[in-house]
Amino acid sequence: MIQKSIQSISGFLIRLESKFGLLLSSFIIAAMMLALAMIYVQPNFTVTFHGIRFSALSENPFDLSTPNPLRYRILTPLIGYLLFLRGDCFFILTLMATGIFPAILYYRYRRKNFEAIDAFFLTCFISFSCVLLLPLVAPAYTDIVTWLFIFLAFSFIEKTPMSALFFSLALLNHESSFVMLPALLLFSYYKNKHAIFKTLILFLIACIPHLCYRWFVYTNTDTAYNLSFYFSKGNIFFTMKKLVIFLPAAFFYCFKLWWIFPVYFTVWAGYQKKYIEFTILILIIAGGLSLVVIGYDYTRMLVIVFPAVLLSYEWMMGQFEPEKFRKFTFLLILLNFLILQYHFNYDGAQPMFPWILNKVSERFGIPLL
């Protein structure tokens, strides 16, 4: 039954690519996954919280006379401004990015000679986890663009200048991307065997655009969300107060059962003395954990560790018999759908339930949202 399902999906993917070509097929697959994601969690089209501020920033990104605490995170608002997706229309841009991410992911893995079914599974890890689901319930948040550029930075690691360029764009979109720098440096060395000095120089150059823009803003206006705010005792105390309660759940609900891949591979790599792969995964996860010390959107902060899920799956593919490994992965994907989705912040569990479940619960007088 499971094997037949896998063969049917694989056959469909191959036929789709034969008929439409890889690029168009990638966008068709992404559109289907986005539609399924919108069924799995009820999307929201009302802009709130940071979404309001990003939308305001997109109306005139360089108007420093208007206070905006998110001014350092300029890239996506600037893109919205240039594409005339400004203000009330800005959420359309982030929704487009939510659809584009799985297309690029599938396309990149196929171009790297992954089997269609493996590229499909890897795309599922992104499409049906908080990487894609959080942007659906938080329109106009620009995190999805940050995560897209981080994925590209890891995906193009064999071309260090390209990887550094994408990392630079991720930094311009959100300064939290900096926590991925240690993992990217080690991963680049692991893949390219460059002198570490050359790799370090390229990635340090990649930081310059963000640092220059940050200095420009700092010298011309006050921005609330700066380093002194995030690393203040008051903010850290506020964040840590509930973190000790919610961290395990916030961590789990990022990817739910798909945490099996990085957890298993990390243990296995340590046992097998594969120290570089082990350290890369640890650096990615540690980077995400460092963010929850200063940011109270706990699950949203931790989503940045998604490369650990993708890389561990890639590395595990060669350690198991392919048919059995794909059966296990397919079963895990199905089981993951059975676990209702939440994300966690300072206020605790925030449900992300399907539209139909919300409607049924309302019918019985116990609304879930």
Side-chain angles (χ1 to χ4, degrees):
M1 177 72 175
I2 293 177
Q3 185 59 28
K4 285 184 178 180
S5 298
I6 294 172
Q7 289 173 348
S8 296
I9 295 170
S10 182
F12 167 76
L13 295 171
I14 297 300
R15 290 192 300 273
L16 191 68
E17 291 181 23
S18 298
K19 185 174 182 179
F20 296 105
L22 177 58
L23 182 60
L24 182 56
S25 297
S26 298
F27 279 95
I28 293 171
I29 292 164
M32 292 189 295
M33 288 196 171
L34 182 61
L36 286 173
M38 287 183 168
I39 294 172
Y40 185 53
V41 301
Q42 181 175 338
N44 180 23
F45 301 106
T46 302
V47 177
T48 57
F49 301 114
H50 283 353
I52 295 173
R53 291 162 173 165
F54 280 122
S55 299
L57 194 58
S58 70
E59 293 178 336
N60 195 340
F62 299 114
D63 177 16
L64 301 182
S65 64
T66 305
N68 194 313
L70 306 177
R71 194 164 293 282
Y72 291 134
R73 303 163 193 175
I74 190 62
L75 183 61
T76 306
L78 177 59
I79 294 171
Y81 178 81
L82 295 174
L83 295 179
F84 297 97
L85 294 172
R86 307 168 183 172
D88 293 341
C89 296
F90 178 69
F91 82 94
I92 298 173
L93 177 60
T94 57
L95 184 60
M96 289 168 58
T98 305
I100 289 170
F101 192 168
I104 291 176
L105 190 143
Y106 182 84
Y107 179 83
R108 281 295 300 157
Y109 277 115
R110 290 294 282 142
R111 286 295 302 269
K112 291 167 76 173
N113 296 319
F114 279 63
E115 294 290 333
I117 190 64
D118 295 316
F120 175 79
F121 286 158
L122 286 157
T123 309
C124 285
F125 297 158
I126 295 300
S127 301
F128 306 117
S129 70
C130 279
V131 179
L132 221 70
L133 301 180
L134 273 178
L136 290 180
V137 301
Y141 276 64
T142 64
D143 299 319
I144 188 68
V145 178
T146 305
W147 299 331
L148 172 57
F149 284 129
I150 286 173
F151 166 73
L152 290 171
F154 276 94
S155 180
F156 281 92
I157 201 69
E158 282 139 351
K159 300 177 180 178
T160 309
M162 286 285 289
S163 177
L165 172 62
F166 287 123
F167 175 69
S168 182
L169 293 172
L171 264 182
L172 280 170
N173 203 62
H174 202 298
E175 64 273 19
S176 64
S177 305
F178 189 78
V179 301
M180 290 294 107
L181 181 57
L184 281 167
L185 289 172
L186 184 58
F187 193 34
S188 180
Y189 173 76
Y190 169 71
K191 281 289 188 179
N192 304 309
K193 299 300 186 285
H194 288 159
I196 191 65
F197 182 74
K198 177 183 177 181
T199 302
L200 181 61
I201 289 297
L202 285 170
F203 277 95
L204 287 179
I205 291 172
C207 297
I208 291 175
H210 171 74
L211 293 175
C212 288
Y213 180 71
R214 196 176 188 93
W215 177 254
F216 167 73
V217 172
Y218 176 77
T219 55
N220 286 278
T221 188
D222 291 326
T223 298
Y225 293 160
N226 52 32
L227 292 179
S228 60
F229 166 78
Y230 282 114
F231 289 98
S232 67
K233 290 182 179 179
N235 179 63
I236 292 174
F237 176 78
F238 176 82
T239 302
M240 293 288 288
K241 188 176 180 181
K242 293 292 183 71
L243 176 63
V244 293
I245 302 172
F246 297 132
L247 180 59
F251 202 78
F252 173 76
Y253 277 101
C254 287
F255 308 105
K256 295 185 293 191
L257 297 179
W258 298 330
W259 276 116
I260 287 174
F261 297 115
V263 169
Y264 176 88
F265 187 84
T266 301
V267 174
W268 181 85
Y271 182 75
Q272 294 293 325
K273 299 181 180 180
K274 294 183 175 290
Y275 295 128
I276 294 183
E277 295 97 322
F278 172 88
T279 306
I280 290 169
L281 292 185
I282 292 298
L283 287 173
I284 292 171
I285 294 170
L289 287 171
S290 70
L291 293 176
V292 297
V293 176
I294 58 175
Y296 60 82
D297 280 340
Y298 304 130
T299 302
R300 178 173 154 250
M301 296 292 101
L302 289 166
V303 168
I304 201 170
V305 309
F306 73 88
V309 177
L310 300 179
L311 287 175
S312 58
Y313 182 84
E314 289 182 46
W315 291 335
M316 285 175 66
M317 285 170 54
Q319 309 301 324
F320 296 92
E321 195 277 315
E323 184 175 308
K324 291 182 179 178
F325 187 58
R326 286 168 183 155
K327 283 182 179 179
F328 173 77
T329 303
F330 184 72
L331 181 61
L332 213 59
I333 290 171
L334 294 180
L335 290 175
N336 230 31
F337 280 113
L338 300 180
I339 303 173
L340 291 175
Q341 187 67 52
Y342 291 84
H343 71 94
F344 281 75
N345 57 26
Y346 186 85
D347 296 319
Q350 309 299 318
M352 302 163 64
F353 295 157
W355 176 84
I356 186 64
L357 183 58
N358 289 324
K359 289 300 178 184
V360 169
S361 66
E362 287 176 10
R363 175 69 178 82
F364 288 97
I366 43 172
L368 296 172
L369 285 179

